[in-house]
Amino acid sequence: MTFDRSVKIAPSILSADFADFGREIQAIEAQGADWIHVDVMDGHFVPNLTFGPPAVKAFRKHVKTVMDVHLMISPVDAYIDAYADAGTDILTAHVEAGPHSHRTMQAIRGAGMKSGIALNPGTPAEAVEHLLDLTDLVCVMTVNPGFGGQKFIDMTAKVKKLREMIGDRPVHIEIDGGVDPTTAPLVVAAGADVLVAGSAVFRGGSVENPAPYGENIRAIKASVAG
Ligand code: DX5
Ligand code: ZN
């Protein structure tokens, strides 16, 4: 993975058909996804449950781009090796998930993955200031995590502040929640380069009829072009 700040679309398979993940991943990549975003939830850190390491390892066989795994779990550290073994490229943990995010970022890199740190809407940018040399990605949540299809919460000021704090370090700013062609321009103008989108990408399409996936991805890209 080489670092670049061009805008990337990372469809969240939380909005895919849960009985058909392999073909959904193939379809969304064929339609132009840059990364595949995998939302892991534990029913404890967030009020919803999705899947764990064995499922993520099975997804990996179908991902040709970048597998971006977003852990909404607490605690994190005991599971880091399992996500490395599952073939994760970027492993993101929440700064709110425990008192030792610094150790968690070190451990993720130590296990051979890129590290990411996520912030809930109620958490200020300063909470990750001392992690920026240990992280490859900051994920700014623009919904309270747990569910797809929620309304975008404007975090533009936080994104701008993070962009300044990051300076010329090779750290991505990812936006997660409520991203669509109306909200994407706000966060890209503020300095984001990775846009997670679930409902806005998967709506209207299916494995049998994947063309709308491509139209939806292109609509988000067009909204931030130039
Ligand atoms: C929310 C997840 C998101 C979610 C985004 O907890 O982290 O990745 O799936 O879904 P949309 O794009 O529908 O808001
Ligand atoms: Zn996510």
Side-chain angles (χ1 to χ4, degrees), residues 17-105:
D17 177 353
F18 269 43
D20 211 354
F21 280 123
R23 291 201 302 159
E24 287 277 39
I25 290 167
Q26 290 167 14
I28 203 82
E29 287 195 342
Q31 293 296 323
D34 295 295
W35 294 4
I36 298 295
H37 185 82
V38 177
D39 285 307
V40 174
M41 304 186 186
D42 68 352
H44 161 74
F45 180 71
V46 288
N48 195 6
L49 266 176
T50 54
F51 30 69
V56 175
K57 191 170 188 169
F59 304 159
R60 175 76 251 187
K61 294 191 208 107
H62 303 276
V63 177
K64 295 200 188 77
T65 57
V66 170
M67 192 162 77
D68 173 37
V69 177
H70 176 193
L71 297 180
M72 286 160 275
I73 69 171
S74 175
V76 171
D77 293 10
Y79 298 97
I80 290 172
D81 287 345
Y83 285 100
D85 179 59
T88 300
D89 294 300
I90 306 173
L91 189 65
T92 296
H94 270 259
V95 70
E96 306 87 359
H100 298 297
S101 297
H102 193 280
R103 176 186 291 150
T104 301
M105 294 298 106

Side-chain angles (χ1 to χ4, degrees), residues 133-164:
D133 287 322
L134 286 172
T135 195
D136 301 287
L137 176 148
V138 177
C139 174
V140 178
M141 296 302 303
T142 39
V143 296
N144 285 295
F147 304 94
Q150 302 183 83
K151 194 173 172 313
F152 178 83
I153 302 168
D154 191 353
M155 292 282 130
T156 310
K158 192 194 288 187
V159 175
K160 279 189 187 145
K161 192 173 279 185
L162 283 163
R163 188 64 265 178
E164 277 174 34

